[in-house]
């Protein structure tokens, strides 16, 4: 007899993985942890993650359906994926976001700003990518790059990036007030695991395309990036937009955890199917007679 699959942790994962307010010590955040995982290990992970797909898909369709033809509906979700190179942002998009209908997803990836983007306030390009009502938005990197890479690489003066934490908090508060549920995920990967993943990319011709020599340059500045991440986590961990720390050395746990978080936040929207804007009985009769 097959073992029943339990997809719901005993305690909501949104409570288990939520970063507590106050000072942050990255050294105390275990990148190999399996917080809240209901299975026994890696072998269970594919089934546990795939078991979430039907409900995720149905919830996302319900979210999308509510926005159709209702100009007053504002609810949407913004999934923010932030982490060091190789932490798995692309893997989450492929294995987790890939479980829902692409039509209801808005994906934005933030690379080096273009000349047009540099001519505007740094949040200009971010605001343009905020998902519309009924959508699930995904940020592959995000506005936090403007207090991370900008800080470490000395792209703007300290006086400029130092004021951005409060600006980001205000920006996220405005989004929440406008119906956006923000799910900010810090993909926490270890220095050792990053090295292993970079080495793997160089050992496989089919992975060369994923390797960027610049990742090695950034790796040499690991301590500076860790300090920048610490401050971003600590200073932008608000009640309306908290951080969730995702242990990411184990890819299978990372994917399950974010899928579970997405499920919990979709459930939290407390959606119902929109009522018909027509006489159902009349239309049934018309279809039957057609």
């Amino acid at each position: 007899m097959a073992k029943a699959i339990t997809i719901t942790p005993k305690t909501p994962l949104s409570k288990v993985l939520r970063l507590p307010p106050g000072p942050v010590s990255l050294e105390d955040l275990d990148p190999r942890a399996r917080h809240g995982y209901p299975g026994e290990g890696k072998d269970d992970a594919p089934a546990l993650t795939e078991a979430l797909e039907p409900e995720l898909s149905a919830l996302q369709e319900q979210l999308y359906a509510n926005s159709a033809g209702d100009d007053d509906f504002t609810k949407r979700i913004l999934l923010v994926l932030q982490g060091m190179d190789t932490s798995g942002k692309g893997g989450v998009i492929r294995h987790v976001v890939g479980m829902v209908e692409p039509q209801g997803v808005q994906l934005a990836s933030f690379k080096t700003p273009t000349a047009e983007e540099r001519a505007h306030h740094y949040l200009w390009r971010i605001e343009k990518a905020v998902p519309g009502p009924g959508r699930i938005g995904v940020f592959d990197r995000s506005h936090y790059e403007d207090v991370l890479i900008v800080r470490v690489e000395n792209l703007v003066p300290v006086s400029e990036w130092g004021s951005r934490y409060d600006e980001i908090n205000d920006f996220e508060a405005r989004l929440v007030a406008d119906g956006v549920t923000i799910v900010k995920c810090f993909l926490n990967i270890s220095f050792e695991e990053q090295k292993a993943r970079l080495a793997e990319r160089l050992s496989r011709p089919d992975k060369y395309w994923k390797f960027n020599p610049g990742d090695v340059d950034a790796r040499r500045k690991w301590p500076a990036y860790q300090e920048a991440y610490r401050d971003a986590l600590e200073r932008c961990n608000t009640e309306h937009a908290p951080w969730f720390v995702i242990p990411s050395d184990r890819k299978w746990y990372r994917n399950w955890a974010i899928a579970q978080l997405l499920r919990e936040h979709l459930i939290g929207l407390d959606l119902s199917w929109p009522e018909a804007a027509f006489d159902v009985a009349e239309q049934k009769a018309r279809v039957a007679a057609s």
Side-chain angles (χ1 to χ4, degrees):
M1 186 176 183
K3 181 180 177 182
I5 295 176
T6 302
I7 65 172
T8 305
K10 293 180 180 178
T11 303
L13 207 61
S14 52
K15 290 186 177 181
V16 175
L17 296 181
R18 181 170 176 168
L19 182 68
V24 172
S25 172
L26 292 181
E27 293 78 12
D28 295 335
L29 303 176
D30 182 4
R32 291 190 60 79
R34 305 187 306 173
H35 303 306
Y37 185 65
E40 296 178 1
K42 181 178 180 178
D43 291 344
D44 297 329
L48 283 167
T49 305
E50 289 167 13
L52 295 168
E53 182 172 358
E55 189 175 11
L56 271 177
S57 180
L59 287 165
Q60 184 260 341
E61 184 180 10
Q62 197 172 46
L63 174 64
Y64 187 73
N66 272 274
S67 69
D70 185 352
D71 294 336
D72 295 326
F73 186 81
T74 62
K75 292 182 179 179
R76 45 264 172 83
I77 283 182
L78 174 58
L79 178 64
V80 175
L81 302 175
Q82 195 70 52
M84 292 292 286
D85 301 314
T86 77
S87 59
K89 298 176 287 294
V92 170
I93 292 169
R94 183 166 58 255
H95 297 293
V96 177
V97 181
M99 290 196 286
V100 303
E101 172 59 48
Q103 182 177 241
V105 174
Q106 288 182 221
L107 173 63
S109 180
F110 296 99
K111 307 295 185 182
T112 303
T114 64
E116 180 187 19
E117 290 169 342
R118 288 196 300 271
H120 291 81
H121 187 274
Y122 72 96
L123 287 174
W124 178 76
R125 65 174 183 162
I126 307 297
E127 297 208 45
K128 288 177 59 180
V130 171
R135 270 62 172 182
I136 294 176
V138 184
F139 281 2
D140 177 357
R141 301 187 185 274
S142 67
H143 40 297
Y144 284 98
E145 292 297 291
D146 291 288
V147 289
L148 292 167
I149 188 170
V150 164
R151 168 178 169 169
V152 175
E153 303 297 337
N154 297 311
L155 301 181
V156 300
V158 175
S159 59
E160 188 170 336
W161 62 254
S163 66
R164 290 179 176 177
Y165 301 100
D166 290 338
E167 288 181 342
I168 287 172
N169 288 338
D170 290 343
F171 167 65
E172 291 177 348
R174 292 199 308 272
L175 292 185
V176 172
D178 197 35
V180 181
T181 295
I182 305 175
V183 187
K184 297 190 303 193
C185 296
F186 167 52
L187 308 187
N188 187 27
I189 188 175
S190 69
F191 188 66
E192 296 76 19
E193 179 64 20
Q194 186 194 57
K195 182 176 183 177
R197 292 182 186 179
L198 289 172
E200 181 188 17
R201 290 178 181 182
L202 289 172
S203 70
R204 295 175 51 179
D206 64 326
K207 298 291 184 182
Y208 288 169
W209 67 274
K210 296 183 71 174
F211 184 83
N212 182 350
D215 294 347
V216 181
D217 298 328
R219 178 173 167 79
R220 290 172 177 160
K221 300 176 182 178
W222 183 275
Y225 272 104
Q226 294 298 287
E227 183 178 358
Y229 266 104
R230 181 202 65 203
D231 285 351
L233 293 171
E234 188 172 304
R235 297 183 62 177
C236 298
N237 188 30
T238 59
E239 185 65 29
H240 54 267
W243 278 104
F244 298 97
V245 178
I246 314 297
S248 297
D249 273 12
R250 305 176 195 264
K251 297 178 182 179
W252 52 270
Y253 174 83
R254 176 201 68 206
N255 293 340
W256 170 82
I258 295 180
Q260 183 66 243
L261 276 179
L262 188 57
R263 169 183 174 267
E264 290 179 10
H265 281 85
L266 281 165
I267 290 173
L269 295 180
D270 194 25
L271 298 169
S272 58
W273 290 104
E275 295 184 5
F278 48 82
D279 186 317
V280 175
E282 177 187 358
Q283 296 307 314
K284 283 183 177 179
R286 291 185 65 211
V287 170
S290 64

